[in-house]
Amino acid sequence: MKTFFKKYFVAGLLILLPLWLTFFVFMFIFNWTSSFSMPFFHPILKHFTDDASWILFLAKVLSFFLTLLIICFAGFLATNFIGKKIFKIFENILEKIPAIGSIYALFKKFTSFFSNGSMSKDFQKVVFVPFPNKDSYCVAFSTGKKVVNGKNFITVFMPTTPNPTTGFLLLIKEEDVIESEYSVEEGIQYIMSAGIIAPESKLNVKKNFGE
């Protein structure tokens, strides 16, 4: 009985867990997106029905699609000539507001870095660096070189798993950095999947950085 339960429980867990996680992520995005337009639809729907559960459900669905349309419309404006000019004027005004302007500029740099291929352009190579000790390695991205006290160091960004948008900036001795054959996209995929998705043909690494 114990073996039977163990075997089929694990099998069922492996099947249902990805579905549950997918549903959880979708519902998080759905609720977060619909909350933007909810105050607009909720009062209107009250005039058509007294069922509070239906009002909430319809308001969420309509708010979700309205928010998607607003985002697409903003994208459309931002990609044509007139829209760019209008958005630039709005940005200039926003950036001049104390506190808010600096926060907006920070988030703008952050989002632009992780879009339009900026990550692939700024990250040079996928490397392995000794962390948290010399006997273990972490996946990181080299971003440049630095000379400290006459010694060559490699500056690397070591993302966290499974969220690669946060991490640590490290300076590692050049001879301790191992260069991999992963592309930046493959490295990000490897990190986000917690090592589950890895190109089998590229598991071999080079001896040292730059060799």
Side-chain angles (χ1 to χ4, degrees):
M1 188 67 184
K2 182 180 178 181
T3 305
F4 176 86
F5 177 78
K6 193 174 180 180
K7 177 181 177 182
Y8 290 104
F9 176 79
V10 172
L13 192 64
L14 291 175
I15 292 172
L16 295 177
L17 189 59
L19 294 174
W20 180 81
L21 289 173
T22 303
F23 177 76
F24 176 80
V25 171
F26 173 78
M27 289 305 299
F28 174 80
I29 295 172
F30 176 78
N31 289 325
W32 180 76
T33 305
S34 62
S35 64
F36 287 95
S37 306
M38 180 72 80
F40 173 76
F41 279 111
H42 200 269
I44 295 175
L45 293 173
K46 282 185 177 180
H47 294 285
F48 297 95
T49 179
D50 295 326
D51 191 332
S53 60
W54 269 106
I55 290 174
L56 183 63
F57 174 75
L58 289 174
K60 280 192 172 185
V61 172
L62 292 173
S63 298
F64 176 76
F65 286 107
L66 178 62
T67 303
L68 291 183
L69 287 174
I70 292 172
I71 293 172
C72 291
F73 181 70
F76 170 76
L77 285 178
T79 52
N80 65 67
F81 180 76
I82 298 175
K84 284 181 180 179
K85 290 290 185 182
I86 295 173
F87 190 69
K88 189 63 179 177
I89 293 170
F90 174 76
E91 265 193 337
N92 290 336
I93 295 172
L94 189 64
E95 289 175 352
K96 291 177 181 177
I97 301 175
I100 294 176
S102 57
I103 294 172
Y104 173 76
L106 177 64
F107 282 114
K108 183 183 176 183
K109 288 180 181 178
F110 180 80
T111 54
S112 63
F113 178 72
F114 289 97
S115 64
N116 299 325
S118 295
M119 183 181 287
S120 298
K121 181 180 65 177
D122 295 328
F123 288 164
Q124 298 174 2
K125 296 177 182 178
V126 179
V127 296
F128 295 93
V129 296
F131 186 89
N133 55 62
K134 64 179 182 178
D135 296 321
S136 60
Y137 283 84
C138 282
V139 181
F141 301 95
S142 65
T143 57
K145 295 185 178 183
K146 188 77 173 177
V147 178
V148 180
N149 292 332
K151 296 181 179 180
N152 293 326
F153 285 79
I154 304 298
T155 56
V156 300
F157 173 69
M158 189 183 71
T160 54
T161 300
N163 178 17
T165 61
T166 61
F168 302 94
L169 175 64
L170 303 173
L171 274 75
I172 308 292
K173 289 182 180 179
E174 188 171 10
E175 60 268 23
D176 293 332
V177 177
I178 299 176
E179 181 185 347
S180 78
E181 297 179 354
Y182 290 168
S183 67
V184 172
E185 290 76 13
E186 289 169 340
I188 294 168
Q189 190 178 54
Y190 187 47
I191 291 167
M192 292 184 69
S193 67
I196 296 172
I197 302 175
E200 294 294 335
S201 61
K202 296 184 179 181
L203 287 178
N204 293 326
V205 297
K206 300 177 182 178
K207 285 185 177 180
N208 293 104
F209 187 89
E211 287 189 357

